[in-house]
């Protein structure tokens, strides 16, 4: 490469970089501004939006991020924001706005995740964190339970045991597993997905 073409190369690279960082900031801003429009005004979503400059952001990010290789890595990118939904409409808003603004959502319920599927990604992403949505309603007469995604299997077992000495629910032994992740196919160990039993 002669010197004039290498200068041209550097110029065009920095031009592209500055364009793409402007784009991703405004995509995030547009996403954040979209959230209140699509959620219930009597349950403001603003209190549930954490960007990296919020003082609790790092704490929240690490709270259920159990894989130290991932959280201590300087090369794995952190989420652009964490939405700690407190109302069903916050979940709806996060999904609708992520779709509109082409932002990847990683969804974390209330439990552990050693693979990091719910808190790491190769592309810019936002975490929808469901740990506040953890109510369980047990009806022993109908032998049914309504459980929100953020509850853990341990909480579900405990709530059933409070109501009955003979009922139970068959799932994992580990009580810190999130119901949302378990019901959607997680909680079977780090290698079973790839190798089976
Ligand atoms: C918003 O939430 C309130 C209280 O939870 C509820 O009464 C109301 O129906 C909701 N509004 C909409 C449009 O869903
Ligand atoms: C996080 O910071 C943003 C901007 O500084 C602010 O609007 C938002 O309310 C903060 N979120 C929380 C949960 O305090
Ligand atoms: C925090 O980030 C938000 C959104 O990116 C921004 O609007 C706000 O000015 C920032 N606050 C501080 C104190 O840096
Ligand atoms: C529990 O289930 C029974 C039988 O289906 C029903 O009649 C009852 O209304 C339910 N209780 C509650 C609190 O939903």
């Amino acid at each position: 490469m002669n010197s004039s073409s290498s200068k041209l190369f550097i110029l065009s690279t920095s031009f592209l970089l500055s364009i793409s960082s402007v784009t991703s900031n405004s995509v995030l801003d547009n996403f954040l501004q979209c959230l209140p429009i699509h959620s219930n005004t009597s349950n403001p979503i603003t209190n549930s939006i954490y960007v990296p400059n919020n003082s609790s952001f790092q704490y929240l990010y690490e709270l259920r991020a159990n894989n130290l290789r991932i959280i201590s890595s300087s090369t794995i990118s952190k989420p652009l924001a964490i939405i700690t939904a407190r109302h069903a409409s916050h979940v709806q808003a996060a999904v609708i706005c992520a779709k509109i603004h082409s932002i990847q959502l990683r969804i974390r319920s209330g439990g552990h995740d050693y693979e990091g599927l719910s808190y790491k990604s190769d592309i810019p992403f936002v975490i929808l964190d469901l740990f506040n949505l953890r109510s369980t309603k047990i009806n022993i007469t109908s032998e049914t339970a309504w459980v929100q995604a953020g509850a853990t299997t341990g909480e579900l077992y405990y709530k059933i045991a409070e109501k009955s000495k003979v009922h139970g629910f068959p799932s994992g032994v580990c009580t810190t597993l999130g119901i949302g992740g378990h019901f959607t196919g997680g909680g079977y160990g780090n290698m079973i997905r790839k190798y089976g039993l």
Side-chain angles (χ1 to χ4, degrees):
M1 209 187 268
N2 66 33
S3 98
S4 76
S5 72
S6 92
K7 250 182 225 148
L8 184 65
F9 176 74
I10 289 166
L11 273 178
S12 61
T13 310
S14 56
F15 178 69
L16 281 177
L17 285 178
S18 63
I19 293 270
S20 74
S21 78
V22 166
T23 309
S24 74
N25 281 343
S26 62
V27 165
L28 177 64
D29 289 344
N30 291 341
F31 169 76
L32 296 177
Q33 283 159 17
C34 169
L35 294 171
I37 300 168
H38 291 278
S39 53
N40 184 317
T41 46
S42 39
N43 298 274
I45 194 170
T46 335
N47 302 335
S48 297
I49 301 174
Y50 292 84
V51 290
N53 64 13
N54 291 111
S55 55
S56 327
F57 178 88
Q58 191 64 18
Y59 168 76
L60 262 180
Y61 178 64
E62 292 181 8
L63 198 54
R64 282 166 309 284
N66 322 79
N67 190 326
L68 296 180
R69 268 194 224 170
I70 295 169
I71 46 176
S72 59
S73 163
S74 53
T75 53
I76 291 175
S77 58
K78 302 281 186 286
L80 301 170
I82 300 175
I83 315 297
T84 59
R86 288 164 211 275
H87 187 259
S89 72
H90 300 171
V91 177
Q92 293 168 332
V95 172
I96 292 167
C97 297
K99 182 85 180 150
I100 292 174
H101 296 290
S102 302
I103 283 194
Q104 190 186 71
L105 265 193
R106 290 270 152 173
I107 301 172
R108 184 154 85 163
S109 51
H112 68 242
D113 169 8
Y114 297 111
E115 287 168 291
L117 295 174
S118 60
Y119 54 87
K120 83 169 167 54
S121 176
D122 296 332
I123 61 171
F125 70 109
V126 166
I127 293 179
L128 172 60
D129 211 325
L130 300 175
F131 70 97
N132 286 315
L133 298 175
R134 60 187 328 129
S135 81
T136 54
K137 290 187 185 131
I138 315 289
N139 186 335
I140 293 298
T141 313
S142 61
E143 301 185 304
T144 55
W146 281 100
V147 192
Q148 287 189 308
T152 60
T153 49
E155 286 168 349
L156 175 59
Y157 301 154
Y158 191 90
K159 291 282 167 66
I160 294 172
E162 280 182 328
K163 291 273 175 82
S164 164
K165 291 201 185 324
V166 295
H167 288 80
F169 182 78
S171 71
V173 172
C174 197
T175 53
T176 57
L177 185 59
I179 287 289
H182 197 34
F183 288 7
T184 51
Y188 300 95
N190 291 339
M191 295 200 282
I192 288 179
R193 213 186 303 280
K194 186 164 182 186
Y195 297 106
L197 271 177

